[in-house]
Amino acid sequence: MMGDVNGMNDRMTRDGKAIFYVLGILMLLAFAGILIDPVQDKRQFAAFLFVRQDALFILILMLLVRFGLGTAPAMPRWADKLGRFWWSIPVFLLLICWIGHRLAFDGYALTRDEQMALFDGFIYRYARLGWPLPVFWQDNALALNQQFILPIAGHRAWLSDYLPVHALARTLVGMVVDPGLTNPLLTAIGAIALWRIARRLWPHDGGAQVATLLLYAGSSQIVVMGMSSYAMPGYLALNLVWLALFLRGGASGHGFAVCVGLIATGWHQPIFHPLFVLPFFAMLAWQRRWRLLCLYGLIYAGIGLAWLAWPHFAANAAGGAAMQGGQIGYGARITMLLSGFDGISLWLMSLNLLRFVAWQHLLLVPLVVTGVRFAWRDPLALSLLAGLILPVAAATLLLAYQGHGWGYRYLHGIIGNACLLGGYGWSALRRRVGTPALWTAANIATFLGVVPVHIALAASIVRPYATVSRAIDRTNSDMVVIDDLAAAFGGDLVSNRPDLGNRPVRLMASQLDDHAMMALCRMHSVAFIGEEQLAPIQRVIPAEETSTDRFRRLEKLCASVRRAARQPLA
């Protein structure tokens, strides 16, 4: 028995050293990219987040895995008792995410990704697929912010270029309760589905079940993304529900899994869910379950083709599919993204992986490594591992830069895979003598230290934008021209309702020409939001101002129009 214990502790030590060296190499790549090449634009922001939010946590984790894993963790009594009240964890996540959305994030949708769900939801409430733009705005649509808008010819109408299910889900939730509850509900649903999977995999190992759920709840990325309006919590919940049904099997299990697959593929982008399920289809082939594999293959082929056709269908319904310097089909988009792959993509991915690790439970990575070591012959464990690797490869090739993201959001849908591999790791430690103090200390540090700090860091970025946005809403004018290039992500402040019924209507100074400016100043009251009003954002994310001269020119032009209007006729 003592030899067995020592062998396990030796393996934990070796695993810790391996993790230490891998993280060390990624850290060296990250800092080398920052020091060798002074980064600009998107690379500058990725480096900013790494230095301000991630580097310290990675260093702490490196110290833990190098010097704190001399003995394997063991399940303390409090955690064993928690298994009888497992439902308290989904309830806790629901409450903390909703409270965080309202208090930490001030109920604000920070990014254009989040705003598009609200934008499309407005359209869908009126049983439409797009919203027509008035003639004047068709000629000046770029000033309204056309990022992530389908490029319909002539800008006759507008709707986002995302798939519709996420926006529909938020709209349905908003008909009953606060739509801000959408992601908290999805986060709680993901926890419930994960518990069901853990119960199926380890029916007699309560420790592995509890460990899996605590790894989920201790992920800062899961908690903070659950406070946001991003689509990613939906992928996590739907993927775990799909896996629970897939493992349940039978006609009902696989039938409902296909229904979930239809929803998940059309949730936001068509790539994330198929990358999750593909390894499980490979597992069916390995197990020679040919009939089931063919059934899934045929149905998912139909699902994929249907959602790939969505942009063309929606554009036609909204007013015409002819492109205006943009790409409607996914094939053209993928080709464009692949053309942007270069060496910087690899550097960005090193930052992304470090950020992903930094926003997880402190013991997730060690337990995942242990799980892979001991369960590498298990087809399900290998499928879970492949599900982690595929999105990393796809993101590296297609779009390594994520912009804003609490953790690495392109891997959000497969955090459940990592938690389950961590459960495999815990199961491998079962019946082996370890120290409950390590597990207790790691959970205290995670839930009372890491997660609250990450919430505060995210809120410190979101709240200045929310403050500026509220100030814009209080502006007593018909239109507001925003110096969108004078602050980091200033364009995200330019968000309007599809019917332009919001007051004031927000406009991007960088996309507004002189003739449009003069016409607006003749017909409407116009206010200007410049560097002074944007100062709260500049203090949080220092960025080089690039458009102040253009903005001041528009402001002076509008003032001259007003003076001319006040002069009496001769």
Side-chain angles (χ1 to χ4, degrees):
M1 178 68 178
M2 186 59 66
D4 196 30
V5 173
N6 291 334
M8 174 58 70
N9 291 337
D10 289 343
R11 293 189 189 99
M12 291 292 294
T13 301
R14 290 197 298 271
D15 289 345
K17 288 182 179 179
I19 298 168
F20 176 85
Y21 291 127
V22 170
L23 292 178
I25 292 171
L26 291 175
M27 288 281 278
L28 288 174
L29 288 173
F31 280 112
I34 295 171
L35 296 175
I36 294 173
D37 179 19
V39 290
Q40 302 295 330
D41 298 332
K42 62 187 181 184
R43 292 177 288 165
Q44 184 180 32
F45 186 62
F48 169 85
L49 291 177
F50 168 70
V51 172
R52 297 289 185 92
Q53 297 187 351
D54 305 333
L56 178 59
F57 289 100
I58 293 296
L59 290 173
I60 292 172
L61 180 59
M62 289 176 67
L63 292 174
L64 171 65
V65 298
R66 181 64 182 87
F67 302 108
L69 297 182
T71 57
M75 186 63 66
R77 293 180 180 178
W78 64 264
D80 187 51
K81 294 179 181 178
L82 182 63
R84 295 197 292 271
F85 302 96
W86 67 270
W87 50 266
S88 64
I89 293 180
V91 172
F92 165 79
L93 288 170
L94 172 66
L95 293 176
I96 197 67
C97 290
W98 183 51
I99 293 171
H101 175 72
R102 285 295 164 196
L103 297 183
F105 284 4
D106 211 7
Y108 182 66
L110 171 67
T111 66
R112 193 68 173 159
D113 273 331
E114 298 170 88
Q115 294 161 9
M116 284 294 94
L118 309 178
F119 182 91
D120 282 347
F122 183 95
I123 296 173
Y124 299 149
R125 279 199 298 273
Y126 289 88
R128 298 184 178 188
L129 293 181
W131 202 277
L133 271 175
V135 174
F136 175 84
W137 291 114
Q138 290 178 22
D139 296 330
N140 299 281
L142 294 180
L144 296 170
N145 194 351
Q146 292 294 298
Q147 186 180 26
F148 304 138
I149 297 293
L150 275 180
I152 296 173
H155 298 292
R156 294 191 295 271
W158 59 344
L159 72 158
S160 85
D161 62 5
Y162 291 131
L163 295 177
V165 181
H166 173 223
L168 285 170
R170 293 190 67 86
T171 301
L172 292 174
V173 171
M175 291 178 177
V176 181
V177 292
D178 176 10
L181 272 168
T182 304
N183 279 355
L185 282 168
L186 290 168
T187 302
I189 290 170
I192 295 170
L194 182 67
W195 176 256
R196 297 295 299 176
I197 297 168
R199 287 287 300 271
R200 182 175 297 277
L201 294 181
W202 307 289
H204 305 298
D205 189 353
Q209 299 166 18
V210 171
T212 302
L213 203 53
L214 287 175
L215 292 175
Y216 181 97
S219 167
S220 298
Q221 177 167 334
I222 288 177
V223 173
V224 179
M225 289 292 283
M227 298 175 181
S228 73
S229 299
Y230 276 113
M232 299 307 168
Y235 281 116
L236 179 59
L238 291 169
N239 286 347
L240 287 170
V241 170
W242 183 94
L243 183 56
L245 292 168
F246 178 82
L247 294 177
R248 173 183 166 183
S252 61
H254 293 302
F256 283 118
V258 166
C259 295
V260 172
L262 175 66
I263 294 170
T265 306
W267 187 256
H268 177 66
Q269 294 282 17
I271 189 173
F272 292 110
H273 178 69
L275 286 176
F276 169 79
V277 300
L278 185 60
F280 299 103
F281 295 166
M283 183 180 73
L284 292 179
W286 179 264
Q287 296 171 339
R288 299 181 182 276
R289 300 170 69 182
W290 303 116
R291 289 185 60 187
L292 184 59
L293 175 61
C294 289
L295 182 63
Y296 268 110
L298 288 173
I299 294 176
Y300 263 85
I303 290 173
L305 290 173
W307 286 123
L308 288 175
W310 170 262
H312 297 281
F313 170 75
N316 278 313
M323 296 180 296
Q324 182 167 319
Q327 304 292 349
I328 287 184
Y330 283 105
R333 296 187 205 181
I334 291 174
T335 301
M336 179 187 67
L337 291 172
L338 284 172
S339 67
F341 173 77
D342 55 20
I344 297 300
S345 301
L346 299 176
W347 175 73
L348 283 171
M349 188 51 63
S350 69
L351 295 182
N352 294 335
L353 293 176
L354 288 170
R355 186 163 178 79
F356 178 76
V357 170
W359 285 65
Q360 306 305 322
H361 191 291
L362 284 173
L363 285 182
L364 177 67
V365 174
L367 286 173
V368 167
V369 172
T370 301
V372 172
R373 174 193 286 274
F374 283 93
W376 66 272
R377 294 182 179 177
D378 186 313
L380 181 59
L382 288 177
S383 298
L384 293 169
L385 178 61
L388 285 173
I389 295 172
L390 281 178
V392 174
T396 302
L397 291 172
L398 296 175
L399 188 61
Y401 175 65
Q402 69 161 342
H404 286 289
W406 317 120
Y408 184 44
R409 57 190 170 95
Y410 294 162
L411 297 187
H412 195 82
I414 48 84
I415 295 178
N417 296 42
C419 293
L420 289 168
L421 286 172
Y424 273 101
W426 193 274
S427 183
L429 302 175
R430 187 165 58 99
R431 301 193 188 97
R432 302 180 188 275
V433 178
T435 169
L438 175 59
W439 182 240
T440 299
N443 278 285
I444 291 174
T446 295
F447 287 100
L448 299 184
V450 176
V451 174
V453 169
H454 277 141
I455 292 174
L457 289 171
S460 71
I461 290 180
V462 176
R463 292 185 68 84
Y465 286 87
T467 299
V468 173
S469 183
R470 285 198 306 271
I472 293 172
D473 287 337
R474 291 194 297 267
T475 303
N476 186 22
S477 60
D478 297 329
M479 310 281 169
V480 164
V481 178
I482 299 171
D483 194 1
D484 52 292
L485 297 182
F489 302 98
D492 288 344
L493 291 168
V494 182
S495 178
N496 297 289
R497 279 176 27 181
D499 66 346
L500 299 177
N502 53 290
R503 288 294 178 271
V505 172
R506 303 182 182 197
L507 303 171
M508 302 172 73
S510 64
Q511 300 294 333
L512 199 58
D513 63 37
D514 292 356
H515 294 293
M517 186 76 263
M518 294 174 66
L520 289 172
C521 290
R522 291 191 190 102
M523 296 183 293
H524 302 281
S525 58
V526 180
F528 291 82
I529 300 295
E531 56 183 332
E532 181 179 349
Q533 293 85 357
L534 298 173
I537 297 172
Q538 186 73 6
R539 285 193 292 268
V540 175
I541 309 178
E544 182 181 354
E545 297 176 359
T546 59
S547 70
T548 299
D549 291 342
R550 171 67 183 162
F551 173 78
R552 289 173 179 168
R553 171 181 168 79
L554 293 175
E555 194 172 17
K556 290 178 181 179
L557 187 63
C558 191
S560 68
V561 171
R562 291 168 180 166
R563 285 195 301 269
R566 288 195 296 266
Q567 292 178 356
L569 296 174

